Amino acid sequence: MRNDVNETSHLIGDDGVYENVKIRQAKVFIALCRIITVALAVLGFMALFVGTR
Amino acid sequence: MYNIKKRIYEVLEVSSVGDKSSRAYDVMITAAVIVGLLPMTMKGENTYTRIIELFTSLIFFADYCARVYTADYKMGFKSVRTYFAYIITPMAILDILSILPVIALFVPVSGFIRLLKLFRFFRIFKLIRYSKTMIIIANVLRKVKKQLFAVLILIVIYIFVSAMLVFQLEPDLFNTFFDALYWATISITTIGYGDISPVTPIGRMITMISALMGMAVIALPTGIITASYMNEITRKKSKYEL
């Protein structure tokens, strides 16, 4: 185990692999940003479609 | 120790190479700005534009709160005054103005509310933060603001003098002094709609001089900005080479 691994900064995943909490949070944040971006694009497209019909 | 506040600041600022979180955030805000401006391209409103307005305003509000929270990193000093100092910066004012149009969703439409809706336009300035070239241009404009202000004063004086001269020489042509100001501005900028044109020889002479001098005066800001922009680019290049 690496020196920087401690109980608070790591989780154990379902497959038994250590996962860094910060990396996990970053992944969730990136996924959230991408979902919002796609949602905005869909809303924009729908607004244009309905607004110019 | 992991500093969450510093990390929020890094995510809010323009992304550095390899910072995926910051990059994803920049893309999301850029999408919110572009989609948030869409209602301005339509005549009426529909359900989707109202959802867009609410959704983008929530995003911008969260962004604003996060920026105020991390103001001490942005401003470079830690104090309660930092937050107040940040709130009155031009970009923070533009941020809050771009959120205000959401009020139009909850109150009856009136003249003031129509004006408030126009504030959506301020959202375009948010994009400045996410483009390195735009940041350079903003820095250039900040550096030459005194020269530009001097040129602006010169242009205003020139327009007023031309308008006053032609207003006195062509009293039948202009109903009000505002018409003369309008004519002078249209002539100096070489737009020349032609809806108001002098008929007397002396009036035409003033127009000719005004148009010729106007070209030189209007070209001044272009030269100032271009020279400063080139200096900035050269400075950045030499800094990079060193």
Side-chain angles (χ1 to χ4, degrees), chain A residues 22 25-27 29-52, chain B residues 2 4 7 11 20-22 24-25 27-29 31-32 35 38 41-42 46-49 51-52 55-56 59:
Chain A
K22 281 178 268 177
Q25 285 170 348
K27 279 180 183 172
F29 180 76
I30 292 168
L32 193 68
C33 285
R34 286 179 181 163
I35 289 166
I36 293 172
T37 306
V38 172
L40 281 166
V42 171
L43 275 172
F45 179 76
M46 291 304 289
L48 271 179
F49 181 72
V50 174
T52 55
Chain B
Y2 183 63
I4 187 84
R7 183 67 192 129
V11 170
K20 287 182 181 173
S21 301
S22 187
Y25 186 79
V27 172
M28 184 189 74
I29 292 291
V35 175
L38 278 181
T41 64
M42 295 170 205
N46 57 53
T47 313
Y48 293 105
T49 56
I51 295 171
I52 285 171
F55 197 26
T56 52
I59 294 170

Side-chain angles (χ1 to χ4, degrees), chain B residues 180-195:
Chain B
L181 279 176
Y182 166 76
W183 165 86
T185 310
I186 297 301
S187 297
I188 198 174
T189 53
T190 69
I191 292 172
Y193 287 128
D195 52 344

Side-chain angles (χ1 to χ4, degrees), chain B residues 61-81:
Chain B
F61 183 68
D63 178 77
Y64 180 76
C65 291
R67 284 183 191 280
V68 173
Y69 175 62
T70 58
D72 46 355
Y73 282 99
K74 178 80 178 171
M75 305 297 278
F77 59 97
K78 291 196 177 192
S79 155
V80 180
R81 281 188 302 164

Side-chain angles (χ1 to χ4, degrees), chain B:
Chain B
M1 191 184 143
Y2 183 63
N3 190 336
I4 187 84
K5 197 172 182 181
K6 191 181 176 192
R7 183 67 192 129
I8 292 172
Y9 171 71
E10 286 168 359
V11 170
L12 290 175
E13 288 303 302
V14 64
S15 60
S16 51
V17 180
D19 191 343
K20 287 182 181 173
S21 301
S22 187
R23 181 77 190 147
Y25 186 79
D26 293 357
V27 172
M28 184 189 74
I29 292 291
T30 307
V33 169
I34 294 167
V35 175
L37 287 169
L38 278 181
M40 286 193 85
T41 64
M42 295 170 205
K43 271 191 175 178
E45 282 187 349
N46 57 53
T47 313
Y48 293 105
T49 56
R50 281 189 284 273
I51 295 171
I52 285 171
E53 189 61 48
L54 191 63
F55 197 26
T56 52
S57 296
L58 280 172
I59 294 170
F60 295 145
F61 183 68
D63 178 77
Y64 180 76
C65 291
R67 284 183 191 280
V68 173
Y69 175 62
T70 58
D72 46 355
Y73 282 99
K74 178 80 178 171
M75 305 297 278
F77 59 97
K78 291 196 177 192
S79 155
V80 180
R81 281 188 302 164
T82 310
Y83 300 101
F84 293 105
Y86 176 74
I87 286 168
I88 56 166
T89 57
M91 284 308 286
I93 292 169
L94 287 173
D95 280 345
I96 201 77
L97 286 178
S98 67
I99 299 166
L100 290 180
V102 76
I103 296 169
L105 289 178
F106 305 105
V107 293
V109 176
S110 65
F112 174 71
I113 295 299
R114 280 199 194 94
L115 184 72
L116 210 59
K117 280 183 175 181
L118 293 179
F119 286 1
R120 287 174 187 149
F121 164 74
F122 291 120
R123 290 172 185 172
I124 199 91
F125 292 105
K126 283 176 172 286
L127 294 180
I128 293 173
R129 287 195 180 110
Y130 303 106
S131 164
K132 288 187 173 80
T133 311
M134 289 302 283
I135 291 169
I136 292 174
I137 292 172
N139 286 339
V140 164
L141 290 175
R142 205 172 295 128
K143 278 182 184 171
V144 294
K145 65 181 177 188
K146 281 184 182 172
Q147 291 94 318
L148 290 177
F149 186 70
V151 173
L152 180 72
I153 296 290
L154 187 67
I155 291 171
V156 170
I157 290 170
Y158 189 77
I159 286 173
F160 266 82
V161 169
S162 299
M164 282 187 281
L165 282 173
V166 85
F167 189 59
Q168 294 301 319
L169 292 168
E170 300 259 359
D172 299 332
L173 192 63
F174 302 100
N175 293 324
T176 61
F177 183 64
F178 181 76
D179 287 346
L181 279 176
Y182 166 76
W183 165 86
T185 310
I186 297 301
S187 297
I188 198 174
T189 53
T190 69
I191 292 172
Y193 287 128
D195 52 344
I196 303 172
S197 50
V199 285
T200 62
I202 188 77
R204 286 179 173 170
M205 185 70 82
I206 296 290
T207 307
M208 285 158 65
I209 297 167
S210 175
L212 286 171
M213 295 288 285
M215 279 197 293
V217 177
I218 290 291
L220 274 174
T222 316
I224 292 169
I225 293 168
T226 309
S228 183
Y229 185 76
M230 293 309 291
N231 280 344
E232 188 74 10
I233 296 290
T234 314
R235 196 180 62 81
K236 278 203 176 289
K237 269 186 185 171
S238 58
K239 193 179 170 186
Y240 183 73
E241 281 163 8
L242 285 171

